[in-house]
Amino acid sequence: MTTGLIPGGQNPDPRPTGGLPQQRHEPVGQAALHVDNRSRSSVITARAAASFEPLGRSVATARSFVRDTLQGWGFADIVDDAVVLTSELVTNAVVHAGTSADVLCLRSDDGVRIEVADRYPEREIPLQGQAVNMGNLDREGGRGLQLCAALAGRWGVEYTPTHKQVWFQLDLPERPVGTRTAGPSLPADLLPLADGRVRVAVVQIDRTCAITSWNEDAEELFGYAAEQVIGKPLTDLAAWPHTPGTGTGIAEALQLSRWEGSYGIRAANGRVTSVYASHLRVRDTGGEPSTVCLLVRDHERAVLQTPLRGPATDTATSADGQSTDPFEVFIGSPAPDDLDGLLQRTVERARDMLDGDSAFLLLATDDETELEVRASTGLPSARQRFARVPVEAGPGRYGSARMPAVHDDLSAVPGAVPLLSGTGMRSVVTVPLKVEGRLTGSLGVAAEGAGRYSNEEALRLQFAADRIALAVESARLGELERLRRGSLSFLVEASDLLAGTLDRDQTLALMAQMTVPTLATWCAVYTIADQASDPYLSYVLHEDEELIDGIKSLLSKIQPPDPVPTPGARVWSAPSEAAHQAALRSSMRSLGLSGGPTHQIASGIGPTLATASAVGGETVVLPLVARNRVIGMLTLGKPADEHFRQEILELAEDLSRRAALALDNARLYSERTAISQSLQRSLLPPELPEIDGVEVEVIYRAAGEGNEVGGDFYDVFPISDGAYGFAIGDVCGTGPNAAAVTGLARHALRLLAREGLSGPAVLERLNSAILDEGARSRFLTLLYGELWPQEDGSARLKVVCAGHPLPLRLRQDGTVEPAAEPQPLLGVMDDLELYEETVTLDPGDVLLCVTDGVTERREGTRMLGDDGLADVLTTCTGLTAGAVAARIMRAVERFASDAPSDDMAILAMRVPGLHND
């Protein structure tokens, strides 16, 4: 629900029509007699607006909004009718029409006009002349217009192409002059009329709310003889006006020390008699409490009602005769332009006005279920700031928030005002801050002595609260808007940072760094590996780095919070309790109370006390839920005696949802990367074999981030005693698909070569295996050879070059020449005619085998090529095989500035020289 408050004044139509004329239609039949389509001419003194979403619960919220608004305006006489009509019309909009509803309450001198608009203009209102049934009394819905006709003084319908509006006017019942307040002397003809003589019913009840006394006026007013009601609970006769969201009823009112107000008594004839009552709680001579209730007819309330302050107190007159704003009289001029300054000055002025020892001001949350301490004087404000107490229910409830209350002695009713527990304050007066009937806060003044305040002080403080309520609410909304804008900016930046990494450890660090110190003083992140695992403390951060180790040690010694998936922040008291216990033990040991020598533990006292202070405040836990699974907890903490603001907790909840998804994404990425790398490593050959008399070196680079294997591959393996096979190949393409063919080729080569087949036969069978893959097959270039080291220091090789870049032979004199001839590649034709060539490497010679990722290295239009590779190889005379491979790779990398886009493999084999090796 969204609400708006507009000061009084002449009221234009609140909904623009976009230049389109509004159409007004009147219902048919007798209902049309109640319709008044005249334009509004009375002066609007106040208005309140609210919008409700198309949800079933919006109907109850709308009823509460209208009831609270009218009661705030003092229109209790017409509240019930207004609530019934609003309920029916909002139900038509949000339930039957399925659209949102806008409710506007307009206050004027003679009554209230309420307008309900929806966004379903096609749901036509019956026009005159149409024989349409307006609704059956047995039906659940459809009675809204009939009720308007029956209850409203005037009503009507207006609709545009985009909106339909139903409005009704409720007139205030006329009251004789002088019955609402105690005023000056009046002529006799202007005095209020009474029905016969004025009767004051005196009813006394005991501590159980049972009637113990019932006088003659009560018999006359309500029709019950004393013997009929004595012993019965007064609550059985009282017709208490129920306000949704307000828990105070007749039973609670009878327990208050003083109370005034209106309700009804069910008379003997079954009718409800509206009465104005004044309750006073006393004790008899035996010390038993009882309540004396004085009741008169509601229109004779002037007999009992406490005189209200007249209009003369609304303004003050300065020494020069000019009027001043009563707000400025109370707050002072200039008024603070920030909320905290305004609240602080308010409590200071309230304390001084009532000569109190302390004062405090609490602001209500949006749903009015809790009050949050925002300012105080004479109290430990740092300890209580942003503390929250429930308004209506639960332990430590703030039960008097919605009405003025005076407590003569808090020691007799401990816990009545939770904020003052343990402060030494005994008497207190509290008044609500309301804006258009809606509770926005509570203002209180307390004193150390008992019995310091009465109803008179409560009226004075309520008068001041009424003057500053609107200013406080306006400043609060301004602060809230600034916080929300800052929150949006914070969440946008946080989302960008979290989306920029897939590293788990970095994500954990970002989560903590974004919360400290913006949202909390310290932060701890727990992670849960799987459903069967316990939470693990993964990261701790404090705005003071020297305290991180102490907090980490403390948290590691206590049970982690339960991984509850329920959204929202929940208080976790274990860290502060453990910290206080540790600090207490250290302090006792420092005093020698544990029996041990003090010098041995003195050095540890400081850090322990500092840790206790750091985590001694409020600690909350937010679940990290991703993909319907709790993957961890985000723990936020404040130092000793500090509390979180509700807005900060809501922002932390938004952050936790984003952080949980980022952390889970990092986890998934890490798992898949580990799986991918494990599979890729299985495609690479094991360590290169040691070959007597031949140096072998391989350098391999797979293209693409995170890839360890691509379309290029190599292998060196023993075939039989004294014989070794080697291969270097290139599968068409890169990535996982090419790597699959790589694994097939490498394993097939080993298997076939060890069967004793010649080189051509091995490649022909490999060609058949590749073709058997069908659509998954890819063509393959392959250089395969077999090597036999010789006793004279040379090495004999047999090679087959199937479509692969030719191997290059580097002699000791620096000459470079191809060591084989090109033949058809594999994976294209069924019938291949391959042959092998014999090559002898003399001592000092090098055989260099590369894939086309080396020779096709490009920089613009330039390409390294076979000639460029040969030129680099000529500079490698006298180098070991490892040095040759490293120089070739360095030359390839330096040839272009961009990262390689193709896989590369380099295989260098060298026969050591006889003299210099």
Side-chain angles (χ1 to χ4, degrees):
M1 180 186 80
T2 58
T3 62
L5 177 66
I6 307 99
Q10 191 66 33
N11 176 53
D13 194 329
R15 279 171 293 278
T17 60
L20 296 175
Q22 290 189 346
Q23 306 177 44
R24 185 183 299 253
H25 299 275
E26 301 180 356
V28 297
Q30 187 177 0
L33 298 176
H34 299 279
V35 179
D36 183 2
N37 59 3
R38 296 173 296 173
S39 61
R40 296 191 299 267
S41 59
S42 58
V43 175
I44 303 301
T45 57
R47 57 178 175 170
S51 296
F52 303 92
E53 299 178 353
L55 303 171
R57 64 173 180 270
S58 295
V59 179
T61 309
R63 288 197 296 264
S64 177
F65 164 71
V66 171
R67 184 182 295 276
D68 290 347
T69 298
L70 298 191
Q71 286 187 336
W73 289 344
F75 293 165
D77 300 314
I78 60 174
V79 163
D80 292 337
D81 290 346
V83 168
V84 169
L85 295 178
T86 303
S87 178
E88 288 292 331
L89 298 179
V90 173
T91 299
N92 290 341
V94 303
V95 176
H96 302 305
T99 77
S100 60
D102 299 326
V103 179
L104 176 66
C105 302
L106 302 172
R107 181 181 71 183
S108 61
D109 296 334
D110 55 352
V112 171
R113 172 177 168 132
I114 297 179
E115 302 175 357
V116 179
D118 62 40
R119 293 169 175 80
Y120 194 73
E122 293 81 1
R123 198 174 179 86
E124 294 285 351
I125 298 299
L127 304 179
Q128 289 188 7
Q130 293 179 324
V132 179
N133 183 8
M134 292 290 290
N136 189 308
L137 293 178
D138 295 330
R139 294 176 54 194
E140 179 182 356
R143 300 189 299 269
L145 300 182
Q146 285 183 321
L147 289 174
C148 286
L151 300 179
R154 296 185 298 276
W155 69 283
V157 181
E158 301 172 357
Y159 63 90
T160 70
T162 59
H163 288 76
K164 180 177 84 266
Q165 171 193 312
V166 181
W167 62 270
F168 59 88
Q169 175 90 21
L170 296 175
D171 298 327
L172 292 177
E174 294 185 1
R175 286 183 178 147
V177 176
T179 60
R180 294 185 62 83
T181 60
S185 300
L186 295 174
D189 58 343
L190 295 180
L191 292 176
L193 296 175
D195 298 336
R197 72 180 183 87
V198 175
R199 297 186 180 276
V200 179
V202 181
V203 182
Q204 191 163 357
I205 65 171
D206 60 17
R207 65 164 65 234
T208 65
C209 294
I211 299 172
T212 59
S213 176
W214 185 267
N215 73 343
E216 294 180 357
D217 280 358
E219 294 183 10
E220 194 68 28
L221 284 175
F222 309 122
Y224 297 107
E227 58 270 15
Q228 292 180 276
V229 294
I230 289 179
K232 293 183 177 181
L234 180 63
T235 54
D236 290 351
L237 305 180
W240 189 262
H242 174 65
T243 301
T246 302
T248 303
I250 178 66
E252 288 80 3
L254 292 173
Q255 299 301 317
L256 299 176
S257 59
R258 302 175 184 88
W259 186 87
E260 285 186 20
S262 299
Y263 53 91
I265 295 292
R266 295 183 182 88
N269 59 8
R271 300 176 63 88
V272 174
T273 301
S274 296
V275 298
Y276 187 85
S278 176
H279 300 171
L280 176 65
R281 203 148 193 252
V282 296
R283 286 186 301 166
D284 60 20
T285 56
E288 287 296 316
S290 63
T291 303
V292 178
C293 306
L294 306 179
L295 304 96
V296 297
R297 296 182 181 90
D298 192 63
H299 65 274
E300 296 171 343
R301 62 171 58 195
V303 176
L304 299 178
Q305 187 173 27
T306 301
L308 301 176
R309 292 182 177 269
T313 59
D314 289 350
T315 59
T317 305
S318 60
D320 57 3
Q322 295 182 349
S323 297
T324 58
D325 186 349
F327 172 78
E328 293 186 359
V329 172
F330 180 69
I331 294 297
S333 182
D337 56 0
D338 63 301
L339 177 61
D340 289 336
L342 176 60
L343 299 182
Q344 192 60 38
R345 189 177 295 185
T346 297
V347 296
E348 291 172 356
R349 294 299 172 89
R351 178 198 58 190
D352 297 341
M353 182 179 71
L354 298 187
D355 192 23
D357 297 311
S358 64
F360 52 89
L361 192 149
L362 302 89
L363 293 184
T365 55
D366 289 340
D367 57 4
E368 300 180 23
T369 60
E370 290 185 312
L371 292 170
E372 185 177 65
V373 180
R374 292 301 302 269
S376 64
T377 181
L379 297 173
S381 58
R383 175 171 64 86
Q384 299 290 350
R385 186 166 169 80
F386 300 122
R388 293 177 300 279
V389 293
V391 174
E392 297 296 345
R397 71 186 184 97
Y398 201 110
S400 59
R402 297 186 185 274
M403 63 179 69
V406 178
H407 296 277
D408 291 332
D409 192 350
L410 291 179
S411 62
V413 281
V417 182
L419 180 64
L420 300 180
S421 298
T423 61
M425 302 296 162
R426 296 186 62 184
S427 56
V428 60
V429 53
T430 62
V431 297
L433 273 68
K434 291 189 175 182
V435 176
E436 298 297 338
R438 184 171 58 87
L439 179 69
T440 60
S442 179
L443 176 63
V445 177
E448 295 179 354
R452 287 279 299 274
Y453 303 114
S454 64
N455 280 350
E456 178 63 24
E457 283 78 11
L459 288 172
R460 291 177 60 195
L461 189 62
Q462 185 68 70
F463 176 78
D466 292 342
R467 293 302 182 271
I468 59 99
L470 185 59
V472 169
E473 180 67 1
S474 177
R476 187 188 74 86
L477 292 176
E479 180 194 66
L480 187 60
E481 180 64 22
R482 290 191 295 273
L483 283 174
R484 286 175 177 169
R485 290 184 179 180
S487 299
L488 289 175
S489 176
F490 172 80
L491 289 175
V492 168
E493 183 177 357
S495 298
D496 288 342
L497 290 173
L498 291 171
T501 178
L502 287 172
D503 181 81
R504 176 182 176 277
D505 293 338
Q506 189 175 0
T507 302
L508 290 172
L510 284 174
M511 290 170 58
Q513 292 166 6
M514 286 185 292
T515 56
V516 177
T518 305
L519 305 182
T521 306
W522 63 273
C523 167
V525 183
Y526 290 84
T527 56
I528 303 175
D530 52 59
Q531 299 291 346
S533 301
D534 293 329
Y536 174 74
L537 182 62
S538 299
Y539 202 92
V540 176
L541 184 65
H542 191 282
E543 59 183 6
D544 185 353
E545 294 183 357
E546 295 181 356
L547 297 176
I548 293 177
D549 292 338
I551 297 176
K552 187 181 299 184
S553 175
L554 176 71
L555 294 178
S556 64
K557 296 176 182 178
I558 61 177
Q559 288 293 327
D562 295 330
V564 178
T566 306
R570 54 191 173 92
V571 177
W572 185 33
S573 59
S576 60
E577 293 174 357
H580 293 156
Q581 290 295 329
L584 179 61
R585 288 194 297 269
S586 294
S587 299
M588 294 179 65
R589 288 197 300 267
S590 68
L591 297 174
L593 299 180
S594 61
T598 59
H599 67 276
Q600 294 181 359
I601 49 83
S603 61
I605 296 174
T608 302
L609 295 177
T611 302
S613 177
V615 301
E618 189 174 42
T619 303
V620 297
V621 178
L622 297 105
L624 298 174
V625 181
R627 298 173 175 91
N628 299 321
R629 187 174 72 88
V630 180
I631 63 171
M633 286 88 71
L634 177 63
T635 303
L636 306 179
K638 286 283 190 179
D641 297 323
E642 287 197 20
H643 299 267
F644 285 97
R645 296 187 60 175
Q646 187 63 33
E647 295 84 355
I648 295 298
L649 294 180
E650 292 172 357
L651 179 58
E653 186 177 356
D654 285 339
L655 175 64
S656 68
R657 286 193 291 266
R658 290 164 170 79
L661 189 58
L663 183 62
D664 200 47
N665 288 339
R667 177 187 64 82
L668 293 174
Y669 178 78
S670 299
E671 289 179 357
R672 281 155 177 72
T673 300
I675 294 172
S676 173
Q677 291 175 346
S678 177
L679 292 174
Q680 291 185 64
R681 291 190 189 102
S682 69
L683 300 178
L684 294 174
E687 295 182 358
L688 298 177
E690 294 286 341
I691 303 177
D692 293 337
V694 179
E695 298 174 359
V696 179
E697 184 64 31
V698 173
I699 296 180
Y700 183 83
R701 298 284 189 273
E705 183 179 358
N707 290 332
E708 295 189 15
V709 176
D712 292 5
F713 68 95
Y714 69 92
D715 200 0
V716 179
F717 56 91
I719 298 176
S720 59
D721 292 341
Y724 296 87
F726 64 91
I728 184 169
D730 184 2
V731 178
C732 175
T734 59
N737 293 330
V741 179
T742 295
L744 170 65
R746 193 179 68 79
H747 290 95
L749 283 175
R750 287 197 171 209
L751 179 63
L752 294 172
R754 287 170 177 169
E755 290 295 324
L757 300 176
S758 64
V762 168
L763 269 60
E764 288 170 1
R765 284 169 171 74
L766 176 60
N767 180 64
S768 299
I770 294 174
L771 292 175
D772 288 343
E773 291 293 308
R776 295 182 299 176
S777 66
R778 290 169 176 263
F779 63 80
L780 168 67
T781 67
L782 179 64
L783 172 64
Y784 173 73
E786 297 176 356
L787 178 148
W788 291 268
Q790 303 298 309
E791 294 182 358
D792 60 359
S794 64
R796 182 168 62 88
L797 293 81
K798 291 183 178 181
V799 298
V800 180
C801 187
H804 198 77
L806 299 178
L808 299 180
R809 177 181 180 180
L810 171 65
R811 296 183 180 275
Q812 280 190 317
D813 58 4
T815 60
V816 175
E817 60 186 8
E821 295 180 356
Q823 299 184 59
L825 50 76
L826 308 181
V828 178
M829 299 178 294
D830 290 329
D831 298 327
L832 288 180
E833 294 183 3
L834 302 175
Y835 57 91
E836 59 185 9
E837 301 174 71
T838 301
V839 179
T840 300
L841 295 182
D842 297 326
D845 289 355
V846 175
L847 184 70
L848 178 66
C849 309
V850 300
T851 58
D852 59 6
V854 174
T855 57
E856 295 179 0
R857 177 73 164 147
R858 294 179 180 275
E859 174 70 21
T861 59
R862 297 170 50 243
M863 185 173 71
L864 179 62
D866 296 334
D867 294 338
L869 179 62
D871 292 341
V872 176
L873 185 58
T874 57
T875 66
C876 297
T877 304
L879 299 180
T880 63
V884 171
R887 179 169 293 186
I888 298 298
M889 178 57 71
R890 188 163 52 250
V892 171
E893 291 175 342
R894 291 177 177 176
F895 186 80
S897 57
D898 296 335
S901 59
D902 195 4
D903 304 327
M904 293 187 295
I906 300 174
L907 171 61
M909 292 184 293
R910 177 177 179 269
V911 178
L914 297 177
H915 304 291
N916 52 4
D917 290 331

